[in-house]
Amino acid sequence: QVQLVESGGGLVQAGGSLRLSCVHSGRTSSRYVLGWFRQAPGKDREFVGGISRSGETKKYTDSVKGRFTISRDSAKNTVYLQMNSLKPEDTGVYYCAVDGNHATFVSGRTDDYDYWGQGTQVTVSS
């Protein structure tokens, strides 16, 4: 069984920064792609970024490129999302997830991710 626990969310002013962390456990979670998603009120969950098992491949949605950075520490079984220059439209619940089907290809499809955390709230005020 894979478990994921996010932390690091909070309230920040526009232009500020936050770093989200996600600790993943389970004997296979470290072997696969990890992703970050977010869901704003009344909207569908959307892909934010993902990272391959090795960390060599990273993928981001266009709206966060140049502002967000994803990384992973295999020794700590943790994936991070560094968010800079935050905007009010970045507000939402942020989830980390494991894609148990891929180790190198980073998918942006929600349906490709099998295990999800409970989420952490990020609120950016204008």
Side-chain angles (χ1 to χ4, degrees):
Q1 185 71 15
V2 176
Q3 292 184 325
L4 303 103
V5 179
E6 303 96 336
S7 62
L11 173 63
V12 64
Q13 289 187 333
S17 298
L18 283 174
R19 188 176 81 155
L20 305 184
S21 300
C22 173
V23 178
H24 55 93
S25 61
R27 63 185 181 91
T28 63
S29 63
S30 61
R31 303 179 187 177
Y32 298 107
V33 166
L34 294 168
W36 284 99
F37 291 76
R38 66 187 178 190
Q39 188 166 19
K43 295 188 176 181
D44 292 335
R45 191 171 299 187
E46 66 170 348
F47 175 77
V48 175
I51 187 168
S52 63
R53 178 183 62 184
S54 68
E56 292 183 357
T57 301
K58 300 177 185 181
K59 180 177 179 178
Y60 301 94
T61 192
D62 287 345
S63 64
V64 307
K65 286 180 181 177
R67 300 189 298 123
F68 290 12
T69 302
I70 190 169
S71 61
R72 67 191 294 170
D73 184 334
S74 297
K76 296 182 178 180
N77 277 359
T78 302
V79 60
Y80 303 97
L81 184 67
Q82 177 67 45
M83 305 186 295
N84 299 327
S85 302
L86 282 161
K87 304 175 181 180
E89 51 264 43
D90 294 318
T91 294
V93 179
Y94 282 68
Y95 301 89
C96 66
V98 174
D99 178 353
N101 300 298
H102 298 104
T104 56
F105 172 72
V106 180
S107 171
R109 297 180 64 247
T110 306
D111 290 347
D112 282 340
Y113 289 78
D114 311 286
Y115 301 97
W116 295 81
Q118 293 299 307
T120 185
Q121 176 71 44
V122 171
T123 303
V124 184
S125 62
S126 57

